[in-house]
């Protein structure tokens, strides 16, 4: 096993990719070389302190131990298996491989042992699922989970850098219109979203597949939560809403346990849970906020209370930085686990995808 690795970061010019580069350096991941990859548009540009951005080709992808992908599902579909065949373990941030039976879907604090079943590709969960399961895991272990009712309030950065620009642009335009008094004359033209996102809440985070009355984001929450917790019988109802927040997904989660669990027991479990920071003093206005989560790796949990409508249900409010724990941080934590477990720089146990 080598002591340091050749690492490819695919999507290195994106929001998540840039953060991954930063975290690999900050957390001193043992890399002998980190090579940034992006689209043809960015090939040849320089990322300070890292190197020149390369485009993907059979020649450029040779000789890596680890490839961390954050460039969307179509790029992962085409290039993740090629990296794996060329000898790298791929950690993929996209939705492409998450539900594949041969691909472990791993949250570092929740199911690290699932890594042992990898065949060259490991998937990083969807951001809204990721933060929720970090908070649910101790409750699941103590009392089981029968049903979840989830409402999300998701930041635009979850859609990519163009959505971040769209919120900024629209916010300026709406404020300018209000100041000049011509609000009715100049409609805001949405581009990334199907409606104006500034000063609005869109009950369509993700998109609707033909014939489905849930968005793909809502389906990801259902399917990925069951896969990560290893319990297909959990009932899950989800509504995912996009809100005009730049960074930080918030979630109202109603948890119906199988066994009785008091609020005090749940709070104690959460306080002891890795990766969780309990902020729960509503009288003092202390509870998780997107503005507090931004830039942190912890999942913030508060408003922990009994659901007055069901004696085995609790309500809670879960917030995290969707670009960090929801994406880049967990991807780098998976890379660290692969290193600690001697799973990098050795042949993958049969590339199966
Ligand atoms: N944002 C989140 O909260 C979040 C959470 C979990 C997972 N993810 C996943 O992470 C991925 C990226 O998200 P993001 O927010 O970082 O998006 P982003 O800011 O829009 O960045 C996209 C990245 O992908 C690269 N790319 C696009 N087409 C490519 C191609 N054909 N070949 C190689 N690279 C290509 C882009 O390169 P150019 O700069 O050259 O265009 C850029 O580096 C997505 O799969 C997303 O689903 C995001």
């Amino acid at each position: 096993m080598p002591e340091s690795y050749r690492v490819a970061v695919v999507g290195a010019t994106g929001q998540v990719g840039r953060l991954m580069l930063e975290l690999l350096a900050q957390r001193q991941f043992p890399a002998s070389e980190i090579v940034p990859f992006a689209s043809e548009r960015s090939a040849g540009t320089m990322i300070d302190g890292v190197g020149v951005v390369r485009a993907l080709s059979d020649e450029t992808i040779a000789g890596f131990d680890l490839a961390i992908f954050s460039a969307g599902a179509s790029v992962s579909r085409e290039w993740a298996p090629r990296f794996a065949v060329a000898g790298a373990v791929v950690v993929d941030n996209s939705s492409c491989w998450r539900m594949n039976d041969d691909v472990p879907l791993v949250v570092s604090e929740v199911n690290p042992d699932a890594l042992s079943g990898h065949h060259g590709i490991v998937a990083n969960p969807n951001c809204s699922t990721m933060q929720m399961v970090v908070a649910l895991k101790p409750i699941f272990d103590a009392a089981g989970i029968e049903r979840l009712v989830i409402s999300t309030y998701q930041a635009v950065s979850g859609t990519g850098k163009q959505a971040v620009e769209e919120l900024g642009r629209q916010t300026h335009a709406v404020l300018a219109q209000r100041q000049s008094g011509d609000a009715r004359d100049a409609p805001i033209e949405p581009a990334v979203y199907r409606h104006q996102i500034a000063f609005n809440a869109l009950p369509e985070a993700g998109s609707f597949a033909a014939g489905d009355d849930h968005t793909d984001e809502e389906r990801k929450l259902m399917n990925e939560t069951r896969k990560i917790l290893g319990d297909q019988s959990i009932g899950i109802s989800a509504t995912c809403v996009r809100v005009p927040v730049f960074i930080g997904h918030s979630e109202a989660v109603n948890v119906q346990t199988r066994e009785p669990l008091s609020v005090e027991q749940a709070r104690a479990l959460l306080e002891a849970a890795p990766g969780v920071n309990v902020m729960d003093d509503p009288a003092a206005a202390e509870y998780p906020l997107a503005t507090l989560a931004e830039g942190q790796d912890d999942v913030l949990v508060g408003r922990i209370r009994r659901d007055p409508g069901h004696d085995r249900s609790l309500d809670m409010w879960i917030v995290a930085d969707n670009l960090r724990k929801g994406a880049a941080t967990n991807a780098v934590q998976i890379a660290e686990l692969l290193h600690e477990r001697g799973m990098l720089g050795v042949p993958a146990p049969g590339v199966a995808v």
Side-chain angles (χ1 to χ4, degrees), residues 14-16 155-166 192-193 242 246 322-323:
Q15 307 176 98
V16 176
V156 295
S157 52
T159 315
K161 56 191 174 187
Q162 289 171 342
V164 172
E165 286 157 18
E166 178 150 309
V192 175
Y193 298 113
R242 191 72 62 187
F246 284 113
N322 51 297
L323 299 177

Side-chain angles (χ1 to χ4, degrees), residues 86-225:
V89 179
V90 173
V91 178
D92 183 32
N93 254 302
S94 82
S95 57
C96 180
W97 302 103
R98 290 179 190 148
M99 297 311 297
N100 186 307
D101 286 343
D102 289 319
V103 176
L105 182 61
V106 177
V107 182
S108 64
E109 300 87 347
V110 177
N111 61 338
D113 293 341
L115 282 175
S116 60
H118 91 80
H119 299 282
I121 300 178
V122 178
N124 206 38
N126 173 49
C127 40
S128 46
T129 306
M130 184 97 68
Q131 64 184 65
M132 187 179 74
V133 295
V134 171
L136 291 181
K137 172 69 173 164
I139 294 172
F140 176 80
D141 286 346
I145 293 177
E146 200 163 288
R147 183 165 194 257
L148 298 165
V149 182
I150 308 154
S151 298
T152 69
Y153 306 71
Q154 296 184 220
V156 295
S157 52
T159 315
K161 56 191 174 187
Q162 289 171 342
V164 172
E165 286 157 18
E166 178 150 309
L167 173 59
R169 213 171 35 244
Q170 287 184 0
T171 304
H172 281 296
V174 172
L175 291 175
Q177 284 178 0
R178 287 174 72 89
Q179 274 175 353
S180 66
D182 67 349
R184 263 180 269 156
D185 297 334
I188 299 291
E189 294 296 342
V192 175
Y193 298 113
R194 296 207 290 177
H195 297 277
Q196 175 184 321
I197 181 65
F199 306 98
N200 215 353
L202 310 181
E204 184 185 359
S207 53
F208 292 100
D212 196 351
D213 56 3
H214 285 74
T215 66
D216 55 354
E217 188 78 7
E218 290 158 353
R219 293 286 176 205
K220 288 174 197 171
L221 256 179
M222 299 173 197
N223 298 334
E224 294 181 25
T225 299

